């Protein structure tokens, strides 16, 4: 009997924690603004930076901020529009899967860029 009571409570706690972690427990709009500020700052620093190492760090900062923004937007879209999560697109496209793949491709692109610059 205890298991029947504990299982739903544990599942509910895990789901709540996943929702909070989706955007750091902060207001998503503020989280997006914060990431925009980080990107703007990194871009302005990039323009005056002299070393390739520093430029790579600034590019990495921008990509991480963009990744985070996309994840926040993705989670909000999945929450607000559950039909998108189900892949019911008129284009027969799974938006969530496509966004995830774009994040992976962006990360690979940065790693390839690092290899070119290091040579």
């Amino acid at each position: 009997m205890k298991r029947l009571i504990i299982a739903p409570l544990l599942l509910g706690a895990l789901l709540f924690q996943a929702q909070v972690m989706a955007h750091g427990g902060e207001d998503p709009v503020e989280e997006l603004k914060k990431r925009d500020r980080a990107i703007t700052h990194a871009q302005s620093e990039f323009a005056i930076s002299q070393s390739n190492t520093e430029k790579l760090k600034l590019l990495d900062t921008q990509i991480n901020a963009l990744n985070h923004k996309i994840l926040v937007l993705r989670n909000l879209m999945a929450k607000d529009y559950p039909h998108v999560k189900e892949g019911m697109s008129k284009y027969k496209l799974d938006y969530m899967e496509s966004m995830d793949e774009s994040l992976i491709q962006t990360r690979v692109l940065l790693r390839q860029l690092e290899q070119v610059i290091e040579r």
Side-chain angles (χ1 to χ4, degrees):
M1 184 68 171
K2 287 183 183 179
R3 289 183 186 170
L4 292 175
I5 295 171
I6 293 174
L9 290 175
L10 182 59
L11 180 61
L14 288 172
L15 290 174
F16 176 75
Q17 181 181 7
Q19 182 64 26
V20 168
M21 291 177 63
H23 54 78
E26 298 179 19
D27 176 19
V29 174
E30 283 303 313
E31 186 69 21
L32 293 172
K33 287 179 184 178
K34 181 174 120 181
R35 298 302 170 173
D36 281 337
R37 286 189 301 269
I39 291 168
T40 301
H41 176 73
Q43 288 173 342
S44 65
E45 290 293 315
F46 186 90
I48 60 174
S49 178
Q50 299 297 318
S51 78
N52 284 344
T53 303
E54 181 64 25
K55 286 183 178 187
L56 275 175
K57 272 179 72 175
L58 292 167
L59 288 172
D60 193 46
T61 299
Q62 291 177 67
I63 294 222
N64 285 334
L66 286 168
N67 282 345
H68 191 80
K69 279 182 63 176
I70 290 171
L71 287 174
V72 169
L73 291 168
R74 174 192 180 279
N75 291 342
L76 286 172
M77 191 168 65
K79 179 182 171 197
D80 291 342
Y81 304 103
H83 63 280
V84 171
K85 191 173 185 179
E86 296 171 12
M88 294 174 57
S89 161
K90 67 180 180 180
Y91 303 108
K92 298 189 186 315
L93 172 69
D94 186 333
Y95 296 120
M96 299 300 141
E97 184 180 317
S98 182
M99 291 172 97
D100 289 342
E101 184 62 29
S102 295
L103 290 170
I104 292 167
Q105 291 168 340
T106 303
R107 178 62 53 199
V108 170
L109 172 68
L110 180 62
R111 297 302 164 233
Q112 290 172 343
L113 179 61
E114 287 176 347
Q115 290 174 6
V116 169
I117 290 176
E118 290 174 359
R119 292 183 183 173

